[in-house]
Amino acid sequence: MSLAQQLLLRSLVARFWRTPYAPARLTRWGTELHDRFMLPYFIQQDFEDVLAEQNAAGYELRARWFAPHFEFRFPKYGDFASRGAHVELRQALEPWHVMGEEGTSGGTVRFVDSSVERLQVMVSGLAPDRYCITCNGRRVPLRPTGTVGEFVGGVRYRAWQPPSSLHPMIGVHAPLTFDLVDTWMQRSLGGCQYHVMHPGGRNYATFPVNAFESESRRLARFFRTGHTPGAVSAQPEAPDPDFPFTLDLRRN
């Protein structure tokens, strides 16, 4: 992984040394940097554009060389399938805020509010006129990827509640319950549950010894069961004008 990173950096330095980067016009992304480009799907698309530019400049780089980097940074939480639709949950990016200065016994500190996390929901084989994906009873704003039946969206949620954080009155949203909802029949056809911590309350006293133990801990927090029983009414929600790709569970 380190060798692939160094190769990419050396190719970028060599390219810009010979031909400085001078675009005709810079794009003002605005809030999309904290919305669309927090999701792994669009980050991977953007990175593939960089590799395409490098190949056009004479530096041959393959996207599959960086597949381990993608899986390491955006690990897969789990997936489930129902009625021909396949739903995948994957970790996404979430910027954390630095809090103000607080006095402690050891001096002045500034805590980082790491209580908010984000994940990506990617679904394929979905008929959007009839089915939708909900998280804790709220519709996930799925956006088409350009492939028929394939959609992607994000969910921002409070994972835990530390003593120093923004919005201290908002509780923890975990565990997250995802449902594939049939809006015509008003029922859940299947779903899954994702726990931020060990569902049995276990507290790990040591760090994982390798990637396999880390993956096993992550898989232990995901269940392909636990979807919402009974009648389900997934009411449409107006998309957030600033963050149309993300469902923020902190907002009512």
Side-chain angles (χ1 to χ4, degrees):
M1 292 177 64
S2 176
L3 182 61
Q5 287 180 336
Q6 296 179 40
L7 181 62
L8 175 62
L9 291 176
R10 287 172 66 91
S11 67
L12 290 171
V13 171
R15 173 192 166 191
F16 295 142
W17 185 276
R18 184 172 58 182
T19 307
Y21 186 68
R25 187 181 63 178
L26 296 177
T27 301
R28 184 177 181 86
W29 293 105
T31 57
E32 286 189 84
L33 294 176
H34 293 85
D35 182 39
R36 180 166 64 149
F37 291 107
M38 294 285 106
L39 302 179
Y41 177 81
F42 297 104
I43 294 176
Q44 187 175 28
Q45 277 192 331
D46 194 40
F47 183 71
E48 290 176 353
D49 288 342
V50 174
L51 297 184
E53 288 188 5
Q54 290 297 99
N55 281 271
Y59 302 94
E60 185 175 356
L61 299 171
R62 305 292 177 85
R64 65 174 181 267
W65 298 349
F66 302 92
H69 300 78
F70 181 82
E71 292 295 332
F72 178 79
R73 187 61 186 87
F74 307 109
K76 178 180 175 181
Y77 290 154
D79 58 6
F80 74 93
S82 179
R83 296 297 180 95
H86 179 265
V87 181
E88 178 194 78
L89 305 183
R90 189 176 291 271
Q91 179 180 331
L93 297 180
E94 178 62 37
W96 289 340
H97 298 279
V98 179
M99 305 292 291
E101 294 182 350
E102 297 184 30
T104 63
S105 59
T108 303
V109 298
R110 298 186 68 185
F111 292 101
V112 176
D113 182 12
S114 59
S115 63
V116 180
E117 296 183 3
R118 188 183 319 214
L119 58 80
Q120 173 185 272
V121 180
M122 190 167 186
V123 55
S124 58
L126 183 74
D129 294 336
R130 178 171 181 177
Y131 305 107
C132 69
I133 303 296
T134 64
C135 177
N136 290 4
R138 298 180 58 185
R139 279 200 184 197
V140 179
L142 298 175
R143 302 297 174 182
T145 63
T147 302
V148 176
E150 187 177 73
F151 300 85
V152 64
V155 177
R156 181 189 291 145
Y157 59 96
R158 166 149 282 180
W160 57 293
Q161 199 165 15
S164 296
S165 63
L166 296 174
H167 312 292
M169 302 303 294
I170 298 178
V172 176
H173 299 112
L176 301 179
T177 302
F178 292 88
D179 291 282
L180 175 63
V181 178
D182 185 344
T183 59
W184 293 2
M185 304 296 292
Q186 293 189 349
R187 63 191 180 107
S188 174
L189 303 178
C192 64
Q193 276 193 349
Y194 170 69
H195 296 255
V196 176
M197 297 179 290
H198 193 279
R202 180 181 178 184
N203 182 24
Y204 295 103
T206 59
F207 291 108
V209 295
N210 52 31
F212 296 104
E213 183 179 356
S214 178
E215 183 178 6
S216 66
R217 292 185 184 184
R218 186 167 57 249
L219 293 177
R221 307 198 308 265
F222 179 84
F223 298 90
R224 289 191 179 95
T225 57
H227 64 276
T228 305
V232 178
S233 178
Q235 298 297 330
E237 296 188 21
D240 191 320
D242 295 323
F243 304 100
F245 288 81
T246 305
L247 168 65
D248 195 340
L249 294 179
R250 301 173 302 171
R251 299 175 179 268
N252 295 326

